[in-house]
Amino acid sequence: PNYTTAGSYCFFSQCIELNDLEIKDLLEFADTSKSIDENHQAILKFGPLLNHEVKHWYDAHSTLWGLRFLSDIYHCRNDLYEAEQSGIATELPHFYRQLELFDKVQYIKFPQYYSTANPKANTSAPWKYDYSAGIMFNKYGKPTDRNLFFTRFSNENGELIARAPFSLCSLLESSAVAQELNAKVRVISMIEDPVSRKIESDKLLKETMSDLYNENLVEYSVVAHKISNSFTISDAIEAYNIATKLTRLILNLSDDIIMSLKPKDMLDPRFEHFISPYENALKYVDYGAIFSLLVDSLYSEYQLKGLQVTSNNVEQLLSKIFKKYLDLTLSEVFERSKEEVKKVCSPVG
């Protein structure tokens, strides 16, 4: 996927734009007079991209994080509307909300200077990887006590290719890419002609691997890379399917659950140097850090001991982790999330 121009979902307008498509693409996609074999290219051009952007919309409207964010937007718009109706001399007691919302928007995708890419490096696969943690700077350029977590990618010669942070943006994109890839797989599986089906399957594999090993897209693929590397998974779609389940859980965690996570208890000693950074990041409800922590915990608790983590068992394994370290099942975790959702879903005022 072209993450910058192919399509977009806007939290503020609630509009989905499919920038690379035209009206004729929609009409061809919706042409029911043709069979899948006759029309699969038009379906593959339109349907999966729409699935990608709708998944962004769905994540915003069906998770605790998303509903809080949309509520903040509408509260801010309501404040501005009231100010505009009352005149220029109106006091703005809630103006701080505007600044808080601005910061939240800015940090969905971390500022560009946290990511690096080496245009001169040999980017041929396979890549090597290493994990690191760094310090976030505040808006005035001063270091804070908030940690960020990165993957550093290098080639076989040890030359740095890119460094990418685990951000909320990377989680949201992994969820949407999973939806897009699975939509493509479903369409391809419905093609009856074996030659056409093989051609489209090979094309999908080639495009997926090209995106994974594109140094300019690592901020969006970094989640799938971590899952693949941690759980020794070679199937990109399987990695994205695990990512979307993890993202779904993380975006629905209430703050009290997040603050109750104990990195020191949940991780193998080999992650000892990450424990303090994880603890610092959790104080700021850093979703990228929570993702990295849960993957490392799954690795420590299961993968390291010989139990393969898959998209079929990851929810069960996560439930065991939460029960062991928080004495809560996933069902109980989601019940707490529901209570928080009820608080969010109150009239704007």
Side-chain angles (χ1 to χ4, degrees):
N2 186 328
Y3 300 95
T4 56
T5 61
S8 63
Y9 157 68
C10 178
F11 294 106
F12 291 86
S13 68
Q14 292 303 306
C15 289
I16 289 174
E17 294 187 27
L18 305 179
N19 304 318
D20 279 3
L21 302 180
E22 302 174 4
I23 291 295
K24 68 179 181 64
D25 296 313
L26 170 60
L27 297 177
E28 291 173 359
F29 165 76
D31 187 354
T32 58
S33 68
K34 295 181 180 179
S35 67
I36 294 291
D37 280 50
E38 293 173 312
N39 205 36
H40 67 267
Q41 290 184 339
I43 296 172
L44 286 168
K45 183 177 182 180
F46 190 93
L49 179 58
L50 179 61
N51 269 261
H52 180 116
E53 300 307 335
V54 169
K55 189 59 163 68
H56 284 313
W57 178 91
Y58 181 74
D59 284 339
H61 286 78
S62 63
T63 64
L64 177 58
W65 164 81
L67 291 171
R68 281 174 170 171
F69 187 53
L70 294 179
S71 177
D72 288 342
I73 290 174
Y74 288 116
H75 274 93
C76 286
R77 284 191 163 175
N78 186 66
D79 289 344
L80 288 177
Y81 175 77
E82 290 184 352
E84 289 171 353
Q85 296 300 306
S86 302
I88 195 170
T90 304
E91 293 186 6
L92 301 175
H94 298 144
F95 185 69
Y96 68 91
R97 288 177 175 173
Q98 311 294 328
L99 299 179
E100 288 178 348
L101 178 60
F102 179 82
D103 286 342
K104 288 179 180 179
V105 173
Q106 290 294 304
Y107 284 94
I108 291 177
K109 183 179 187 297
F110 290 133
Q112 188 59 42
Y113 51 78
Y114 290 113
S115 302
T116 59
N118 181 5
K120 297 181 180 180
N122 179 356
T123 60
S124 300
W127 289 359
K128 296 180 180 180
Y129 67 92
D130 190 23
Y131 302 123
S132 64
I135 294 292
M136 179 178 283
F137 296 96
N138 65 20
K139 65 182 68 177
Y140 304 108
K142 295 182 178 181
T144 69
D145 66 342
R146 178 174 175 178
N147 288 100
L148 297 178
F149 296 83
F150 302 88
T151 299
R152 297 172 61 87
F153 299 98
S154 58
N155 57 29
E156 289 187 312
N157 297 322
E159 185 181 22
L160 179 67
I161 294 173
R163 183 190 69 179
F166 295 111
S167 65
L168 177 54
C169 176
S170 62
L171 289 179
L172 294 171
E173 283 298 335
S174 70
S175 176
V177 170
Q179 186 80 2
E180 180 177 353
L181 292 176
N182 281 297
K184 289 181 178 180
V185 170
R186 286 193 295 272
V187 173
I188 292 171
S189 69
M190 296 170 66
I191 300 173
E192 295 184 0
D193 176 56
V195 175
S196 297
R197 188 167 61 246
K198 182 67 164 58
I199 290 172
E200 292 299 339
S201 293
D202 291 347
K203 181 181 177 182
L204 174 59
L205 177 59
K206 183 178 179 180
E207 290 176 347
T208 302
M209 298 308 291
S210 176
D211 287 339
L212 278 173
Y213 290 99
N214 183 332
E215 71 277 12
N216 296 313
L217 296 179
V218 288
E219 186 174 358
Y220 307 102
S221 62
V222 65
V223 164
H225 276 288
K226 169 125 184 164
I227 289 171
S228 297
N229 294 326
S230 297
F231 307 141
T232 321
I233 294 172
S234 58
D235 183 346
I237 296 177
E238 169 71 354
Y240 276 114
N241 285 339
I242 294 174
T244 195
K245 291 185 176 183
L246 275 166
T247 297
R248 189 79 185 158
L249 168 64
I250 291 166
L251 296 184
N252 277 297
L253 292 178
S254 58
D255 290 354
D256 64 319
I257 295 292
I258 292 170
M259 299 303 175
S260 299
L261 295 172
K262 303 297 182 185
K264 186 175 182 179
D265 298 334
M266 298 167 66
L267 299 178
D268 182 80
R270 69 184 62 195
F271 295 104
E272 182 178 4
H273 54 296
F274 286 117
I275 290 174
S276 180
Y278 275 137
E279 291 172 344
N280 290 336
L282 291 177
K283 292 187 299 184
Y284 292 92
V285 191
D286 187 311
Y287 292 101
I290 298 166
F291 160 79
S292 185
L293 171 61
L294 290 181
V295 171
D296 288 347
S297 182
L298 285 165
Y299 175 83
S300 300
E301 198 73 23
Y302 300 108
Q303 193 74 26
L304 189 60
K305 299 173 183 177
L307 179 58
Q308 178 64 48
V309 177
T310 70
S311 59
N312 290 327
N313 68 11
V314 66
E315 291 171 280
Q316 178 187 9
L317 299 181
L318 284 166
S319 186
K320 289 181 178 180
I321 285 175
F322 276 79
K323 184 64 177 177
K324 180 176 181 178
Y325 295 110
L326 278 73
D327 197 27
L328 293 169
T329 65
L330 281 190
S331 295
E332 291 170 328
V333 169
F334 280 115
E335 283 302 314
R336 293 201 184 184
S337 300
K338 288 179 184 178
E339 293 303 312
E340 292 300 313
V341 167
K342 290 177 183 177
K343 296 177 184 178
V344 175
C345 296
S346 58
V348 173

